[in-house]
Amino acid sequence: MTQPIERVVIVGAGTMGVTLAKLMLAHRIPVRMIDNQAAALEACRREIERTFSDNHPTVGELEVQAHWSQEGEGSIVIESVTENLAIKRAVIAEAEANCAATTLIVTNTSGLSIDAIGQGMRHPERLAGAHFFNPADLIPAVEVIPGAATTQATIHRTCAFLSLLGKRPAVLKQSVPGFVANRIQHAIMRECLSLLEKGVVDVEALDEIVQFSIGVRLALNGPLLQRDLNGLDTHLNIARYLYEDLEDTHTPSRLLEEYVAKGRLGAKAGRGFYPWDEVHIKRQELEARGNLEHIIAIAMNDKRS
Ligand SMILES: NC(=O)c1ccc[n+]([C@@H]2O[C@H](COP(=O)([O-])OP(=O)(O)OC[C@H]3O[C@@H](n4cnc5c(N)ncnc54)[C@H](O)[C@@H]3O)[C@@H](O)[C@H]2O)c1
């Protein structure tokens, strides 16, 4: 970094904002959390207190507030509000109005255009996408996305900041809808939903096949390295007969629309692909973090050796 980080300003105290705050505080970086919902700020404060013990000095380094304060050049702003272009643009405009001209501003959008988010900025050269994954304090990868006006210096600053946080930043050459991870996640889910709709397989069998085949392999190697190991000629032979049969719809699946319309939203609603109850959800929550930490440690170790 060109200068020490005085503070990280996180805008949006939702699912991602809270885990971003945990990440900064664990690295002893003071956080100013801004949200226009008092309840979200209160929930954030409670979660941070629960995570770090009361007498941990880190808790004192979290400020929560509904409005902006003037920020100096030592601050970094992370925009992590609702995934809505108009809301994000308004937040970026507020950030510019309250920060020095050189303050680094990153957006945690899941796939909106960086140029569209930065439209109207006085200094769009200091805006970049930094797409974290949930929970941001745990998942190593962060997609770094330039807009058309983003300078190389901004990309370097963003990557240096992320490396300081122990992340593995990976830079895209341009902003495309959904970036890399969500494009691939949605391509996989489009095919999964199509297989369910066609009655080829049931929910349990599909999860079993994907988790214990490509799932466990992908925890250790990216898909391209994996294909190198398998042989590109074999991949091409399969691609030649398979692609004409793969799902290529341009609209969300009928099954997904139907589930959401019926309120089958997943664990939080008691039913998604599976039925959920409190005990089941609690067990998942308790086990998920430890299991993820374990897998990440194995994957990182594998990349070092
Ligand atoms: N949830 C995920 O798994 C995930 C993962 C990666 C990236 N993201 C992205 O991160 C961003 C936030 O997602 P989330 O899941 O935390 O959403 P969320 O709905 O949980 O939280 C959004 C927060 O933004 C606040 N907010 C809305 N408008 C505001 C404004 N004008 N000023 C201040 N605060 C405002 C809301 O009050 C809310 O607390 C989105 O862009 C999303 O696409 C989400």
Side-chain angles (χ1 to χ4, degrees), residues 14-16 35-37 80-83 88 108 110 132 134:
T15 306
M16 290 305 285
D35 198 293
N36 58 7
Q37 299 296 320
S80 191
V81 298
T82 318
E83 186 80 343
K88 285 189 183 290
N108 186 27
S110 296
F132 291 83
N134 188 27

Side-chain angles (χ1 to χ4, degrees), residues 133-185:
F133 295 85
N134 188 27
D137 57 328
L138 198 55
I139 306 290
V142 182
E143 293 180 282
V144 177
I145 311 103
T150 311
T151 56
Q152 223 20 57
T154 296
I155 296 298
H156 285 316
R157 279 177 81 189
T158 306
C159 289
F161 169 53
L162 293 168
S163 299
L164 192 88
L165 298 169
K167 294 292 165 195
R168 297 176 70 102
V171 183
L172 274 65
K173 293 180 181 170
Q174 55 178 284
S175 174
V176 288
F179 310 139
V180 171
N182 272 320
R183 289 178 84 94
I184 290 173
Q185 189 156 250

Side-chain angles (χ1 to χ4, degrees), residues 66-137:
H67 303 289
W68 280 88
S69 314
Q70 290 296 312
E71 295 295 339
E73 291 189 2
S75 293
I76 291 174
V77 176
I78 304 180
E79 173 284 301
S80 191
V81 298
T82 318
E83 186 80 343
N84 172 294
L85 186 56
I87 296 176
K88 285 189 183 290
R89 263 191 204 146
V91 166
I92 296 290
E94 271 184 303
E96 271 216 308
N98 288 283
C99 294
T102 54
T103 301
L104 176 64
I105 302 177
V106 298
T107 167
N108 186 27
T109 175
S110 296
L112 290 170
S113 151
I114 304 302
D115 292 334
I117 290 175
Q119 203 178 60
M121 281 180 83
R122 277 179 289 126
H123 294 287
E125 69 280 359
R126 42 79 170 261
L127 176 73
H131 179 219
F132 291 83
F133 295 85
N134 188 27
D137 57 328

Side-chain angles (χ1 to χ4, degrees), residues 239-300:
R240 280 194 172 122
Y241 67 74
L242 185 59
Y243 283 17
E244 65 177 315
D245 204 59
L246 290 182
E247 186 55 76
D248 64 354
T249 172
H250 282 197
T251 53
S253 111
R254 183 185 45 73
L255 188 70
L256 182 62
E257 296 275 15
E258 195 182 297
Y259 276 17
V260 173
K262 283 184 183 156
R264 286 177 66 164
L265 309 181
K268 64 185 173 187
R271 191 157 180 84
F273 294 112
Y274 296 93
W276 290 88
D277 58 35
E278 280 304 312
V279 178
H280 195 180
I281 294 172
K282 270 272 155 298
R283 201 173 61 222
Q284 282 281 337
E285 282 173 0
L286 281 176
E287 288 171 4
R289 195 173 169 94
N291 288 343
L292 261 178
E293 279 170 341
H294 198 186
I295 291 168
I296 290 167
I298 293 171
M300 299 279 247

